[in-house]
Amino acid sequence: MPITDTKPRADVADRFVPKASPETRPFWDGTAAGELRIQSCTDCDRPFFYPRSSCPRCGGEALEWITCSGRASLYSYVISQRPAPGFEPPTVIAVVELEEGPRMMTNIVGVPPEPQFLPLDLPLQVTFEQRGDLAIPVFEPSESEVAR
Ligand SMILES: [Zn+2]
């Protein structure tokens, strides 16, 4: 979508509630249970995200689901001023690096959407927001960070 397109559109609303597929079902079952689960390759022993049917590194198909610690750090973000259905702008759209290694696109919550509160490498903790039928993993500053 061109960056100049700021009008909310019907099809945009659908994008914010992902659809579970057979491949992603274990992920969404995990979030419903309050757990962040990702796949790991038992051939090369590397976890990855998003869900796939084969390892993005070695192509192996011997995959298992692991439960993440939920700890992550802030890798990159943008502060979106665009109106979006179900969101009160501004919102923080971020890429976080999970403790297990993979990076995940998500939203940052629990902190003012201003750069001074969003230093890179900020320690984060997963939390879950109910959107539609799915619990969506989002991240907030970890409690140890808030306590400082
Ligand atoms: Zn592999």
Side-chain angles (χ1 to χ4, degrees), residues 63-137:
L63 309 177
E64 62 179 353
W65 285 87
I66 61 171
T67 300
C68 296
S69 67
R71 288 188 289 274
S73 60
L74 185 58
Y75 178 75
S76 176
Y77 71 92
V78 294
I79 298 171
S80 173
Q81 305 289 347
R82 295 180 47 177
F87 289 83
E88 197 62 42
T91 53
V92 181
I93 301 168
V95 176
V96 303
E97 187 166 289
L98 303 178
E99 187 173 62
E100 291 77 13
R103 291 173 186 156
M104 182 175 289
M105 185 167 276
T106 183
N107 293 118
I108 305 298
V109 300
V111 65
E114 295 162 27
Q116 67 265 36
F117 297 108
L118 296 162
L120 295 183
D121 298 327
L122 176 70
L124 300 166
Q125 178 70 38
V126 73
T127 183
F128 299 92
E129 281 186 2
Q130 197 70 31
R131 292 183 204 159
D133 291 338
L134 297 178
I136 307 288

Side-chain angles (χ1 to χ4, degrees), residues 40-46 48 54-63:
S40 185
C41 173
T42 60
D43 288 337
C44 68
D45 204 27
R46 304 288 280 278
F48 59 90
S54 61
C55 173
R57 281 197 186 77
C58 74
E61 294 180 357
L63 309 177

